Amino acid sequence: MWQCQKCGREFKKIDQDHYCGESNTIDEYITGQPIEVQPLLQKIRETIRAVAPDATEKISWQLPTFWQGENLIHFAAFKKHISIFPGDLTISPFEERLEGYKKARGTVQFPLSKPIDYELIADIARWRVSCVESKRKIQSNNQRSNQSSSKDKGGNKSNMSMDTSRMTRQVYEIPDYITTALDNSGLWESYRARPPYQRNDYIGWIQRGKRQETRQKRLDQMLNELQNGDAYMGMKYRAK
């Protein structure tokens, strides 16, 4: 194990790249970074601020963070890159634009050896704002729905009734053609039995199909997996 002499943390890899300072504000974080990186971090901060004017700046997990009811996006400097942490990007619309970047689930690395794509960062931050606002709208509608106690005879046929409080991704409403397919197949009970993230991911995945044939193929897969109960988007699944 290698131990950082500055912060005392231990890592398996020698000279593991990490942030070991303690900052109370984003200003403190930025001024604690190498002088040549500070303008880049400040530009990223301004870029996010421009598209998320209602967000609050804070330090969370020792990272500069924009907060709007939940963490919108973090950013941080490392030895050879700057990372942004917008959360789950597997269902985001940026697949093509992120080609060539090193990324993990919820993280994108912008190498310091290349110009920073601030427009891409702005669009990702703007997308995160839309996800949060969409979730808030659905939660608000759900509260009104519960207060009025107005349900269809077959139950609430939407995603508005599920708990979305822990989701960092966009929350999707169920379009009419999927509602009809669940009606005709008699699989509403199986659909509601799945965890909220699965229900939401199914709907988003189906709707992102660019062609009608693709959407229908994905819809058929969802219905088949709900009927059999042993798979989720091609992966093995066992209900708890």
Side-chain angles (χ1 to χ4, degrees):
M1 297 290 287
W2 172 76
Q3 185 177 46
C4 174
Q5 297 302 308
K6 185 177 179 180
C7 67
R9 293 169 61 190
E10 293 186 342
F11 301 91
K12 292 182 179 180
K13 183 180 178 181
I14 296 176
D15 290 329
Q16 171 69 47
D17 192 12
H18 68 287
Y19 178 68
C20 58
E22 291 189 7
S23 303
N24 295 314
T25 66
I26 293 181
D27 284 326
E28 289 181 6
Y29 178 92
I30 292 177
T31 56
Q33 302 304 315
I35 191 69
E36 66 274 12
V37 177
Q38 293 181 24
L40 303 179
L41 294 172
Q42 188 62 39
K43 178 66 174 177
I44 290 174
R45 178 189 193 180
E46 294 170 355
T47 297
I48 298 172
R49 166 58 57 207
V51 299
D54 296 328
T56 301
E57 293 186 353
K58 62 185 290 188
I59 295 292
S60 180
W61 300 99
Q62 283 301 307
L63 300 175
T65 302
F66 281 81
W67 168 273
Q68 190 169 320
E70 63 183 61
N71 289 334
L72 280 179
I73 190 168
H74 311 274
F75 64 93
F78 297 89
K79 189 179 298 183
K80 296 182 179 180
H81 66 273
I82 292 175
S83 284
I84 63 169
F85 305 80
D88 186 7
L89 286 168
T90 59
I91 60 169
S92 74
F94 304 105
E95 183 176 355
E96 293 184 2
R97 295 174 65 185
L98 289 173
E99 288 184 2
Y101 287 100
K102 187 175 181 179
K103 52 189 179 294
R105 187 180 179 90
T107 309
V108 183
Q109 295 183 8
F110 294 85
L112 294 174
S113 58
K114 298 180 180 179
I116 302 292
D117 189 342
Y118 297 106
E119 183 177 351
L120 175 57
I121 293 175
D123 287 343
I124 291 175
R126 188 180 291 111
W127 170 74
R128 281 291 296 127
V129 171
S130 70
C131 290
V132 170
E133 291 179 345
S134 176
K135 183 194 300 186
R136 184 179 300 167
K137 181 178 179 181
I138 288 176
Q139 290 173 339
S140 176
N141 289 340
N142 183 40
Q143 290 176 353
R144 288 197 295 269
S145 178
N146 289 339
Q147 290 172 358
S148 64
S149 299
S150 58
K151 289 187 176 182
D152 295 328
K153 182 181 294 185
N156 194 333
K157 299 179 178 180
S158 76
N159 273 345
M160 288 167 53
S161 61
M162 68 184 182
D163 182 8
T164 61
S165 60
R166 301 183 65 179
M167 288 189 189
T168 60
R169 61 194 73 184
Q170 179 177 352
V171 179
Y172 295 91
E173 268 299 310
I174 304 179
D176 290 342
Y177 69 93
I178 296 180
T179 297
T180 300
L182 287 167
D183 281 338
N184 294 339
S185 63
L187 289 171
W188 272 108
E189 184 175 350
S190 297
Y191 175 78
R192 295 192 189 98
R194 292 299 180 102
Y197 78 90
Q198 288 192 15
R199 285 179 265 166
N200 189 60
D201 285 357
Y202 269 133
I203 303 306
W205 176 58
I206 293 169
Q207 292 190 80
R208 287 195 303 278
K210 295 182 179 180
R211 299 191 302 169
Q212 194 277 333
E213 309 93 87
T214 302
R215 293 191 294 273
Q216 185 60 51
K217 182 178 179 180
R218 293 179 178 181
L219 174 58
D220 291 340
Q221 179 179 328
M222 180 190 76
L223 296 175
N224 183 62
E225 291 178 354
L226 291 177
Q227 185 171 22
N228 294 328
D230 59 356
Y232 157 62
M233 295 179 69
M235 298 177 287
K236 290 184 179 179
Y237 169 72
R238 178 180 296 177
K240 294 182 180 180

